[in-house]
């Protein structure tokens, strides 16, 4: 298939590009590089072994999206493009709604106008809000605790309306848990601009000496060691989940489907720190800080629906997640 990846130069999109290209698909990246680097395209070509089409544009430029969909005879879109920093979304909600919601409307218009009706959307476990029970399955009630999460919920709801209005759409909303790790080439990975918000890239910068210590946000949660528990999933497993979702959409009836992409296994912040220390071979400085506003104690998936419907399961373990993060960090630090 010819597949357009909006936000394809970003962290998850670039890894999915590798998985899709290596499975024989033609991928076209459409990204405005507001949170990614131009070198990613070159690095992807090195991994994949052939040139890639990269279109530098904003998804709100509907005419350019339409042109891309037509020029490259696109069969399906994987929609990664979006802003994702929770704190920033609280400070700048208008920018988040404009980019994420308005951007998705523009994409849906372009797809509608060009009769491309197969879409995989990057959603998030954040749409479950505060868990009522664990593990989280797809029928857990949804809610939003911040503007970022609300953009994901609005988009999921819009996609439901679109699928209902026109039975030729095939849509999968993939609710990612906590993507971590990097491609084993060490060429692509998570490269946040500025100090990382997320645990794994933060740990990597502490290990490389770029940051003095890890601040553990709370050790008085109702969890086995008091620190927050999350479902960390290797980004290459997540990438494989997109392939599985596209295969599913092309072989199943039209409609909108929702799948959790997680491992089903929760790890605490302290367990993540210890696992990372084992990989880097030295203790890492940490400090117990107050809880971070909006954090929940535990969040992990029931991945059973994706396993049964997509025939997909995460395979890579915590060691692989830490090793690939560290390898990428070392390479990035060397420039
Ligand atoms: P990322 O920031 O690395 O990648 C997003 C890409 O989209 C970037 O390359 C950015 O330049 C591009 N982009 C943003 N707005 C755009 C626009 N208007 N037009 C064109 N390109 C635009 O983020 P990521 O971690 O790869 O996340 C990809 C998607 O997955 C996002 O939608 C995010 O909300 C979702 N998600 C991420 C996580 C996570 O922890 N990384 C978890 C759940 C869901
Ligand atoms: N966390 C932490 N220190 C950090 C970053 C994160 O203790 O510098 C904790 C955070 O409180 C949560 C877990 O690590 O319990 C995962 O946080 P992350 O921001 O990576 O993901 P999310 O909050 O989206 O699940």
């Amino acid at each position: 298939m010819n597949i357009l990846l909006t936000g394809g130069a970003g962290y998850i999109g670039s890894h999915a590009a590798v998985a899709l290209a290596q499975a024989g698909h033609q991928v076209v990246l459409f990204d405005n590089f507001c949170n990614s680097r131009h070198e990613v395209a070159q690095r992807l070509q090195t991994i994949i072994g052939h040139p890639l089409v990269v279109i530098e544009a904003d998804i709100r430029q509907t005419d350019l999206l339409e042109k891309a969909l037509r020029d490259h005879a696109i069969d399906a879109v994987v929609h990664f493009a979006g802003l994702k920093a929770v704190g920033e979304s609280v400070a700048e909600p208008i920018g988040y709604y404009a980019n994420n919601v308005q951007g998705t409307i523009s994409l849906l218009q372009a797809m509608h106008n060009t009769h491309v009706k197969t879409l995989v959307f990057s959603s998030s476990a954040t749409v479950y809000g505060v868990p009522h029970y664990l593990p989280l399955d797809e029928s857990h009630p949804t809610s939003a605790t911040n503007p970022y999460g609300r953009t994901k919920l609005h988009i999921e709801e819009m996609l439901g309306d679109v699928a209902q209005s026109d039975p030729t759409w095939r849509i999968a909303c993939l609710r990612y848990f906590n993507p971590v790790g990097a491609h084993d080439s060490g060429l692509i990975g998570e490269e946040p601009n500025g100090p990382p918000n997320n645990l794994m890239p933060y740990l990597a910068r502490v290990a490389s000496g770029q940051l003095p210590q890890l601040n553990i946000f709370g050790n008085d949660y109702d969890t086995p060691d008091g620190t927050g528990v999350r479902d960390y999933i290797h980004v290459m497993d997540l990438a494989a989940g997109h392939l599985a979702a596209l295969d599913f959409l092309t072989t199943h009836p039209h409609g909108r489907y929702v799948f959790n992409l997680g491992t089903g296994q929760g790890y605490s912040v302290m367990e993540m720190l210890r696992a990372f220390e084992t990989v880097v071979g030295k203790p890492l400085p940490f400090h117990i800080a107050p809880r971070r506003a909006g954090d929940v104690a535990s969040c992990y998936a029931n991945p059973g629906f994706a396993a049964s419907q997509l025939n997909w399961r995460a395979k890579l373990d915590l060691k692989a997640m830490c090793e690939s993060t560290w390898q990428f960090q070392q390479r990035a630090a060397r420039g």
Side-chain angles (χ1 to χ4, degrees):
M1 284 199 288
N2 296 334
I3 306 172
L4 185 84
L5 308 187
T6 73
Y11 172 45
I12 302 171
S14 58
H15 290 80
V18 172
L20 293 169
Q22 289 181 340
H25 297 294
Q26 302 301 317
V27 298
V28 174
L29 310 191
F30 191 102
D31 201 303
N32 67 358
F33 293 91
C34 69
N35 196 36
S36 46
R37 295 161 203 233
H38 290 88
E39 305 93 83
V40 168
Q42 186 54 52
R43 294 182 195 166
L44 280 174
Q45 294 183 19
T46 305
I47 297 170
I48 295 165
H50 60 77
L52 269 183
V53 179
V54 181
I55 300 164
E56 182 166 357
D58 193 294
I59 53 168
R60 285 166 290 180
Q61 292 172 284
T62 318
D63 52 338
L64 295 184
L65 268 176
E66 278 186 30
K67 182 170 163 31
L69 293 167
R70 285 205 177 88
D71 286 356
H72 301 284
I74 296 296
D75 302 297
V77 175
V78 188
H79 178 31
F80 299 99
L83 302 176
K84 60 167 186 177
V86 171
E88 191 181 61
S89 80
V90 174
E92 297 165 32
I94 301 170
Y96 269 66
Y97 287 112
N99 197 81
N100 295 4
V101 179
Q102 196 177 327
T104 303
I105 294 171
S106 166
L107 173 65
L108 291 169
Q109 286 169 328
M111 291 178 72
H112 173 84
N113 293 344
T114 53
H115 310 288
V116 179
K117 305 251 179 108
T118 302
L119 174 66
V120 175
F121 169 60
S122 297
S123 189
S124 165
T126 191
V127 301
Y128 293 119
V130 179
H132 298 186
Y133 59 82
L134 290 166
L136 293 159
D137 56 33
E138 288 82 353
S139 50
H140 185 282
T142 53
S143 68
T145 53
N146 55 67
Y148 165 69
R150 212 161 283 121
T151 67
K152 293 293 177 194
L153 259 189
H154 283 339
I155 294 168
E156 282 203 7
E157 286 166 358
M158 273 179 358
L159 296 178
D161 290 339
V162 167
Q164 202 150 35
S165 71
D166 172 352
T168 62
W169 281 88
R170 295 177 154 102
I171 300 174
C173 295
L174 304 182
R175 293 178 177 164
Y176 308 156
F177 280 69
N178 287 57
V180 295
H183 187 260
D184 60 16
S185 62
L187 288 172
I188 53 171
E190 189 171 11
E191 275 182 285
N193 295 326
N197 296 311
N198 297 110
L199 178 62
M200 267 299 226
Y202 206 100
L203 268 173
R205 290 196 190 178
V206 173
S208 69
Q210 289 169 267
L211 289 168
Q213 64 180 9
L214 173 71
N215 298 307
I216 296 183
F217 298 141
N219 66 348
D220 56 354
Y221 283 107
D222 184 15
T223 60
D225 64 22
T227 64
V229 169
R230 296 290 184 275
D231 184 336
Y232 298 93
I233 175 167
H234 197 295
V235 68
M236 290 312 297
D237 276 333
L238 196 69
H242 293 75
L243 248 181
L246 281 164
D247 285 347
F248 175 91
L249 289 181
T250 48
T251 52
H252 281 75
H254 304 95
R256 190 204 65 156
Y257 301 87
V258 174
F259 300 104
N260 281 343
L261 294 188
T263 65
Q265 166 77 55
Y267 288 106
S268 72
V269 178
M270 201 49 96
E271 287 173 314
M272 296 300 287
L273 171 68
R274 298 301 177 217
F276 213 83
E277 286 178 338
T278 303
V279 164
V280 302
K282 61 178 181 189
L284 298 176
F286 69 92
H287 157 82
I288 304 296
R291 290 182 178 194
R292 185 171 64 177
D295 272 356
V296 299
S298 297
C299 175
Y300 50 93
N302 177 342
F305 188 60
S308 67
Q309 299 300 306
L310 304 182
N311 196 21
W312 167 91
R313 262 185 196 287
K315 297 192 181 97
L316 297 164
D317 62 11
L318 185 54
K319 185 165 173 271
M321 299 180 210
C322 294
E323 280 173 349
S324 61
T325 302
W326 184 225
Q327 173 171 272
F328 176 69
Q329 175 66 37
Q330 287 174 298
R331 214 172 165 133
R334 286 197 304 268

